Amino acid sequence: MRELIYYVATSLDGVIAAPDGTWGAFLDEGDHMAVLVDEYADMLPGHVRGALDITADPTLVDTVIMGWNTYTPALDAGIVSPYPHLRQIVASRSRRPDSPDVAVTADPVATVRALRREGGGGIYLAGGGALAGTLIDEIDRLVLKINPVVLGDGVPLFGGASYADRRFRPTRTRAFDSGVVMAEYVRAGA
């Protein structure tokens, strides 16, 4: 069955972006970057893959789902199709992308469930926190790039999720000299 993989950078206190949605506090250089490029190249936006000369077809995921606020920085940079190597879906109730390569869903839970029935590769949950909160009970795997910083306020890892005991079990943890820790989990019982 297709997995929904929430792959995201976070602070030590579970913040994935500043209150204005920017990501400036997270490390984008250091020894952890080789792992991101080698193991998670599918999840890099097209312009980053191009800059790194990554041309290999995706092997881990074939679809990306993101919230409108995650999609907006690409639009602001003039990029209407940020993940051209993947099937792209934006969760939005009111806005529509101006690209035939990007689908829209007003019901991300139903969309993820339908994608699972189709079969195929994994589904990358690119964010943001509100969408992750909506999809929390659908997430099969977490890949957290934990940055050595405490932000205090901002976009939470799982925004708006109701209180419930949702267990994940660790499958792999790697610490890097940069201070970043890559922590991977799967839903308990899976």
Side-chain angles (χ1 to χ4, degrees):
M1 175 158 84
R2 296 178 85 169
E3 299 186 292
L4 180 61
I5 304 167
Y6 187 23
Y7 168 84
V8 65
T10 183
S11 65
L12 292 170
D13 57 341
V15 174
I16 64 170
D20 67 358
T22 59
W23 301 284
F26 298 140
L27 299 173
D28 59 2
E29 37 184 63
D31 57 333
H32 66 285
M33 293 303 294
V35 169
L36 303 185
V37 172
D38 291 343
E39 296 180 26
Y40 298 100
D42 297 359
M43 289 134 160
L44 295 172
H47 68 282
V48 175
R49 287 171 57 94
L52 296 172
D53 199 30
I54 297 171
T55 58
D57 289 333
T59 57
L60 184 61
V61 298
D62 64 12
T63 303
V64 60
I65 186 165
M66 65 192 112
W68 188 266
N69 290 337
T70 299
Y71 182 55
T72 298
L75 290 178
D76 292 345
I79 302 168
V80 296
S81 180
Y83 295 92
H85 55 290
L86 302 175
R87 178 179 180 185
Q88 302 170 86
I89 302 167
V90 173
S92 176
R93 289 187 180 88
S94 60
R95 298 180 181 153
R96 299 288 175 254
D98 189 23
S99 172
D101 298 327
V102 180
V104 175
T105 181
D107 188 346
V109 172
T111 297
V112 166
R113 290 177 179 168
L115 289 168
R116 283 193 171 122
R117 287 190 298 272
E118 289 176 8
I123 306 160
Y124 166 33
L125 171 54
L131 181 58
T134 298
L135 290 170
I136 192 168
D137 292 321
E138 302 298 320
I139 295 170
D140 301 294
R141 185 164 28 145
L142 300 169
V143 179
L144 304 177
K145 301 169 284 186
I146 305 167
N147 286 258
V149 62
V150 174
L151 298 177
D153 188 21
V155 178
L157 192 59
F158 295 101
S162 61
Y163 178 81
D165 188 349
R166 298 171 179 97
R167 304 266 172 153
F168 287 81
R169 64 179 172 79
T171 57
R172 188 156 131 188
T173 304
R174 294 175 277 179
F176 298 91
D177 291 339
S178 65
V180 170
V181 172
M182 293 281 297
E184 300 178 37
Y185 302 86
V186 294
R187 183 169 297 281

